Amino acid sequence: MHYFSSSFKLGILGGGQLGKMLLYETRKWDIYTKVMDASDDAPSKIACNQFVKGSLLDFDAAYNFGKDVDVLTIEIENVNVDALEKLEHEGVKVYPSTKTLRTIQNKATQKLFYTDNEIPTSPFTRFAYTSEIEDSISNGGLKFPFVWKSAQFGYDGQGVKVVRKMEDLEGLPNVECIAEEMVNFKNELAVIVVRNTQGEVKTYPVVEMEFHPDANQVEYVICPARVDESILQKAKAVALKVSDHLNHVGLLAVELFQTQDDEILVNEVAPRPHNSGHYSIEGSYTNQFEQHIRAILGLPLGKTDSKVAGVMVNLVGVEGHTGDVVYENIDSILEMDGVTPHIYGKKETRPFRKMGHVTIVDKDMKRAREVAQKVKETIKVISKLQ
Amino acid sequence: MHYFSSSFKLGILGGGQLGKMLLYETRKWDIYTKVMDASDDAPSKIACNQFVKGSLLDFDAAYNFGKDVDVLTIEIENVNVDALEKLEHEGVKVYPSTKTLRTIQNKATQKLFYTDNEIPTSPFTRFAYTSEIEDSISNGGLKFPFVWKSAQFGYDGQGVKVVRKMEDLEGLPNVECIAEEMVNFKNELAVIVVRNTQGEVKTYPVVEMEFHPDANQVEYVICPARVDESILQKAKAVALKVSDHLNHVGLLAVELFQTQDDEILVNEVAPRPHNSGHYSIEGSYTNQFEQHIRAILGLPLGKTDSKVAGVMVNLVGVEGHTGDVVYENIDSILEMDGVTPHIYGKKETRPFRKMGHVTIVDKDMKRAREVAQKVKETIKVISKLQ
């Protein structure tokens, strides 16, 4: 059986924006794809060969979906891992493996994995229920501020909250969670590692998240990161250590903190294409989506170097706007050099919803960064004007 | 009405490989597309929003297809222009326009257009029927060798034959045709010009077709062309003159000869994405497909410069192989640096059928060219081994 033939079938759990971008690559190589998503409006619905509507967390839906595929992958970690385990036993190749998924899916387990393997990460405490946190604070076991994270099913900032005082705990769901010491970081970095089924491993360049000077929000993802060579080396080494211990197949996005003392700490990981790698579509010799396909099909990995410097800006819904989306001033950003908008195809915008991203590439990083700022100031994701 | 909204509909006549690559871009921008093709196995069938099976040359099929679209474009010139003209009158925006299509579709008309506008092209004679050619030779009006071209409906080398002796005329269809003086060229070059609805015009870099030293067949398309700056300037000037007189909207690929005396002659043009621009997907800031979409939607044109040098190799069916296609050694070429195969998704291979292409990019042109040669020597498009 060969991947580039009609007898091969690739299954993808999740039909959101990441799945959609994966499909550019399966179309490029004419690989047969079957996609499952809970929504009939999923961005991946067209461009796949076969679409199945179903909940990723439902055992039967996930199991039945995967029965007739040769290789199964995901665009989101929150899937029914029991179903995938059954499929694995029955001979379906599941990448990332259920072992990798189980380690990562639960944030408490993920943190324990780091400490067990002497991978630097911020100190944390695990709680069976959020309600236990108050006691821990009262008896001095936990100090403000800390980061509360739900152990399961967080995504896109959901399930994460900075807790600076007792009242901040109000309204949080009473679930298994962790309380993480807040890292006073100098930079937030990320490294994408890729490993194919034969164990070939490569890393992409270290990228940097640039934060808004006032709002505590990532504004730009910048490749390559503007930090010292020694930091780049350290970041890559830590990312490779995580990858090595996880022994994953496919992409692994490793989010890192560079502390004030230039220590590198692992924040968290994702075993799939990642927002921090979107620049690679325009910037890299091999983009992260093609690379993921190469890795899970056991093909040789592609060159991870960049052709040009890249800056990525997320397009998120403007506050106060809900409804049919309009990309205001998109024409104006298309006038700027090296600008490529990606529109995910979600019909409705909501405040802070990820609706797309824009990549700015240039041989000169400084110029790319300047254009990115103009892009950010120009385009607005709003709801239809009445 | 805005293009990036669900109320807009783009029609594409033709669902082959060019249409398929156009769809990467409409997916990227979530533009609603409707595609018509005569084949149920058309590569564009998935990834468009709506697929209609129908003959592009049939008036009713083309007219009915286009009635409910806002903008209509083509991936192949051989369409029913009368139907498009009716649609144009009824308010559908047709790009390229039927005026452009009528000038180009008939090769005799196209040649007359060049001479009428003092655009340099090789001398030619027009014949109502191929059978009239013999007389012209007998009475000394035409001399061997010459290039016979059917006036209508040639594509991909069909409808073209080099005639060196009387017997070469045997078997040619008795149709309207031209006999062109053979050009003893030093180089075959091409320039893609793009013009949007507002009249903004840009050119891509001049590319060079490198021929096999023995077989008379293009082996590589190379960007940028390895010719003197003065030739580049002359080639661009001629291409812009063609574009200016055609007043087309969208891409215009202008194929050129550089003669032994360093004259530039126009060979022929295509008002759509073109094989000579495939390198742009990996090589350019704005690839030709995105650029075509920008132009016909009246968006600002993108930067046409290259990020890196590019070489393109066509993947054509090996002689003696017909049937279910196999891309032999595709894994081996994926090991090489900067190599991206594109598989068009045609199920059956035939000798010389275009089944895909491979782009090789590198900061260093010499290295890209060397890898391209390795690619060419490695991958083979054959039929399924028994």
Side-chain angles (χ1 to χ4, degrees):
Chain A
M1 182 187 58
H2 200 283
Y3 312 116
F4 302 99
S5 84
S6 49
S7 60
F8 176 81
K9 202 179 273 191
L10 173 66
I12 305 173
L13 285 172
Q17 66 265 23
L18 299 173
K20 181 188 164 189
M21 290 184 268
L22 263 179
L23 294 183
Y24 299 159
E25 307 308 316
T26 57
R27 292 299 300 135
K28 189 168 85 183
W29 289 352
D30 195 40
I31 292 169
Y32 188 101
T33 47
K34 184 179 174 186
V35 169
M36 184 163 90
D37 196 275
S39 167
D40 255 338
D41 283 333
S44 287
K45 192 171 178 184
I46 67 168
C48 65
N49 297 76
Q50 205 183 335
F51 181 78
V52 176
K53 189 178 168 180
S55 163
L56 307 181
L57 290 167
D58 183 81
F59 181 93
D60 290 333
Y63 173 68
N64 288 326
F65 170 81
K67 272 194 296 190
D68 71 340
V69 305
D70 299 290
V71 173
L72 184 61
T73 192
I74 55 154
E75 62 130 34
I76 180 169
E77 299 85 288
N78 295 332
V79 294
N80 191 301
V81 181
D82 293 334
L84 269 50
E85 204 159 51
K86 189 167 158 69
L87 291 167
E88 249 172 10
H89 288 314
E90 292 174 4
V92 175
K93 290 172 183 165
V94 179
Y95 304 124
S97 70
T98 56
K99 189 164 173 289
T100 300
L101 281 170
R102 284 202 196 283
T103 306
I104 288 172
Q105 207 183 50
N106 183 299
K107 281 189 183 157
T109 314
Q110 192 183 137
K111 285 293 267 191
L112 289 169
F113 162 79
Y114 299 137
T115 49
D116 285 353
N117 292 290
E118 295 179 333
I119 291 162
T121 192
S122 61
F124 72 102
T125 316
R126 179 184 190 169
F127 296 95
Y129 296 97
T130 307
S131 56
E132 294 174 2
I133 291 183
E134 279 193 39
D135 286 348
S136 184
I137 294 166
S138 309
N139 65 33
L142 195 62
K143 291 192 181 11
F144 296 117
F146 60 86
V147 183
W148 173 92
K149 289 183 179 176
S150 139
Q152 293 191 61
F153 306 128
Y155 189 62
D156 272 0
Q158 297 279 340
V160 176
K161 188 173 184 186
V162 175
V163 178
R164 296 178 190 282
K165 52 188 187 299
M166 206 58 100
E167 296 79 60
D168 290 342
L169 287 167
E170 283 167 25
L172 289 179
N174 195 23
V175 294
E176 185 192 356
C177 59
I178 58 171
E180 247 183 27
E181 201 169 279
M182 259 186 90
V183 178
N184 178 14
F185 58 83
K186 206 190 272 182
N187 282 302
E188 202 172 321
L189 307 171
V191 179
I192 293 177
V193 187
V194 59
R195 174 190 305 263
N196 72 8
T197 55
Q198 294 93 323
E200 186 189 359
V201 176
K202 287 192 181 184
T203 58
Y204 277 85
V206 182
V207 302
E208 167 196 354
M209 284 36 155
E210 188 181 328
F211 280 71
H212 186 280
D214 307 319
N216 183 36
Q217 205 184 21
V218 176
E219 281 206 290
Y220 309 105
V221 174
I222 294 179
C223 178
R226 299 161 301 179
V227 297
D228 287 349
E229 181 60 29
S230 63
I231 300 298
L232 298 178
Q233 292 307 324
K234 219 188 267 188
K236 281 201 180 184
V238 170
L240 280 169
K241 189 172 182 187
V242 178
S243 166
D244 189 46
H245 283 287
L246 265 182
N247 199 27
H248 62 99
V249 168
L251 298 175
L252 185 78
V254 185
E255 295 183 46
L256 303 163
F257 294 121
Q258 175 192 357
T259 68
Q260 299 296 339
D261 306 329
D262 288 341
E263 257 193 298
I264 295 290
L265 303 179
V266 175
N267 178 13
E268 56 184 48
V269 301
R272 52 162 171 82
H274 191 256
N275 195 261
S276 65
H278 286 352
Y279 78 89
S280 66
I281 297 177
E282 288 81 14
S284 306
Y285 282 94
T286 312
N287 74 56
Q288 65 167 343
F289 301 97
E290 178 183 324
Q291 197 72 279
H292 188 66
I293 301 284
R294 286 176 179 243
I296 65 175
L297 299 193
L299 295 166
L301 298 180
K303 188 170 169 176
T304 54
D305 298 3
S306 291
K307 298 171 190 167
V308 281
V311 179
M312 196 272 304
V313 177
N314 282 314
L315 291 181
V316 299
V318 169
E319 247 185 311
H321 287 263
T322 298
D324 285 357
V325 63
V326 173
Y327 301 91
E328 197 179 53
N329 300 327
I330 192 165
D331 297 25
S332 306
I333 71 164
L334 287 170
E335 274 175 30
M336 303 173 192
D337 265 358
V339 167
T340 307
H342 290 254
I343 305 296
Y344 296 156
K346 299 172 183 175
K347 301 302 165 215
E348 301 226 322
T349 184
R350 290 194 297 269
F352 308 114
R353 189 178 194 196
K354 277 190 196 164
M355 300 299 288
H357 74 265
V358 182
T359 309
I360 300 92
V361 291
D362 201 297
K363 284 182 182 162
D364 179 55
M365 162 61 84
K366 236 185 112 200
R367 210 160 45 205
R369 175 61 186 75
E370 282 163 15
V371 173
Q373 183 147 347
K374 279 203 284 174
V375 166
K376 179 106 189 163
E377 289 162 3
T378 305
I379 189 167
K380 300 287 171 225
V381 181
I382 58 176
S383 54
K384 200 167 271 179
L385 304 165
Q386 303 307 318
Chain B
M1 182 186 56
H2 199 285
Y3 312 116
F4 303 99
S5 84
S6 49
S7 60
F8 176 81
K9 203 180 273 192
L10 172 66
I12 305 172
L13 285 172
Q17 67 265 22
L18 299 173
K20 181 188 164 188
M21 290 185 267
L22 263 179
L23 294 183
Y24 298 160
E25 307 309 316
T26 57
R27 292 299 300 133
K28 188 168 87 183
W29 288 353
D30 194 41
I31 292 168
Y32 188 100
T33 48
K34 184 180 174 185
V35 169
M36 183 164 90
D37 196 274
S39 166
D40 255 337
D41 282 335
S44 287
K45 192 170 178 184
I46 67 171
C48 65
N49 297 75
Q50 205 184 334
F51 181 79
V52 176
K53 190 178 167 178
S55 163
L56 307 181
L57 290 167
D58 183 80
F59 181 92
D60 290 334
Y63 173 69
N64 288 325
F65 171 81
K67 273 195 296 191
D68 71 340
V69 305
D70 299 289
V71 174
L72 184 62
T73 192
I74 55 152
E75 62 130 32
I76 180 169
E77 298 86 288
N78 295 332
V79 294
N80 191 301
V81 181
D82 292 334
L84 268 53
E85 204 160 51
K86 190 166 157 70
L87 292 167
E88 249 172 10
H89 287 314
E90 293 175 3
V92 175
K93 291 172 182 163
V94 179
Y95 303 125
S97 71
T98 55
K99 189 164 172 291
T100 300
L101 280 170
R102 284 203 196 283
T103 307
I104 288 172
Q105 208 183 49
N106 183 300
K107 282 191 183 155
T109 315
Q110 193 184 135
K111 286 292 266 191
L112 289 170
F113 162 80
Y114 299 137
T115 49
D116 285 353
N117 291 291
E118 296 179 332
I119 292 162
T121 192
S122 61
F124 72 102
T125 317
R126 181 183 191 170
F127 296 96
Y129 296 98
T130 307
S131 56
E132 295 173 1
I133 292 184
E134 277 192 41
D135 287 348
S136 185
I137 294 167
S138 308
N139 64 33
L142 195 63
K143 291 192 182 9
F144 295 118
F146 60 85
V147 183
W148 172 91
K149 288 182 179 177
S150 139
Q152 292 192 61
F153 306 129
Y155 190 62
D156 271 1
Q158 297 278 340
V160 177
K161 190 173 184 186
V162 176
V163 178
R164 297 179 188 280
K165 53 188 188 300
M166 207 58 102
E167 296 79 60
D168 290 343
L169 287 167
E170 283 167 23
L172 289 179
N174 194 23
V175 293
E176 184 192 356
C177 58
I178 57 171
E180 246 182 31
E181 201 170 280
M182 258 186 89
V183 179
N184 177 13
F185 59 83
K186 205 190 272 183
N187 281 302
E188 201 171 320
L189 307 172
V191 179
I192 293 178
V193 187
V194 59
R195 173 191 304 265
N196 72 9
T197 56
Q198 295 94 323
E200 185 188 0
V201 176
K202 287 192 180 184
T203 58
Y204 277 85
V206 182
V207 302
E208 167 196 354
M209 285 32 154
E210 188 182 326
F211 281 71
H212 187 280
D214 306 319
N216 184 35
Q217 205 184 20
V218 176
E219 281 206 290
Y220 308 104
V221 174
I222 294 180
C223 179
R226 299 161 301 179
V227 297
D228 288 350
E229 182 59 30
S230 63
I231 300 297
L232 298 178
Q233 291 308 324
K234 219 187 268 188
K236 282 202 179 183
V238 169
L240 281 169
K241 189 171 181 187
V242 177
S243 165
D244 190 44
H245 283 286
L246 264 182
N247 199 27
H248 62 101
V249 168
L251 297 176
L252 185 78
V254 185
E255 296 183 48
L256 303 163
F257 295 121
Q258 175 192 357
T259 68
Q260 298 297 338
D261 305 330
D262 288 342
E263 257 193 297
I264 295 291
L265 303 180
V266 175
N267 178 14
E268 56 184 47
V269 301
R272 51 162 171 83
H274 192 256
N275 195 261
S276 66
H278 286 352
Y279 79 90
S280 67
I281 297 177
E282 289 80 15
S284 306
Y285 281 94
T286 312
N287 73 56
Q288 66 167 342
F289 300 97
E290 179 183 323
Q291 197 71 279
H292 188 67
I293 301 285
R294 285 176 180 244
I296 65 176
L297 299 194
L299 295 166
L301 298 180
K303 187 171 170 176
T304 53
D305 297 2
S306 292
K307 299 171 188 166
V308 280
V311 180
M312 196 272 302
V313 177
N314 282 314
L315 291 182
V316 298
V318 169
E319 247 184 312
H321 287 263
T322 299
D324 285 358
V325 63
V326 173
Y327 301 90
E328 197 180 52
N329 300 327
I330 192 165
D331 297 25
S332 306
I333 71 163
L334 288 170
E335 273 175 31
M336 302 173 192
D337 264 358
V339 168
T340 307
H342 290 254
I343 306 294
Y344 297 155
K346 299 173 183 175
K347 301 303 165 214
E348 301 225 323
T349 185
R350 289 194 297 267
F352 308 114
R353 189 178 193 196
K354 277 190 195 163
M355 300 297 290
H357 74 264
V358 182
T359 309
I360 300 92
V361 290
D362 202 297
K363 285 183 182 163
D364 179 55
M365 162 62 84
K366 236 186 109 200
R367 209 159 44 204
R369 175 61 186 75
E370 281 163 14
V371 173
Q373 183 147 347
K374 279 203 285 174
V375 165
K376 180 107 189 162
E377 288 162 3
T378 305
I379 190 167
K380 300 288 170 224
V381 181
I382 57 175
S383 56
K384 199 166 271 180
L385 302 166
Q386 304 305 319

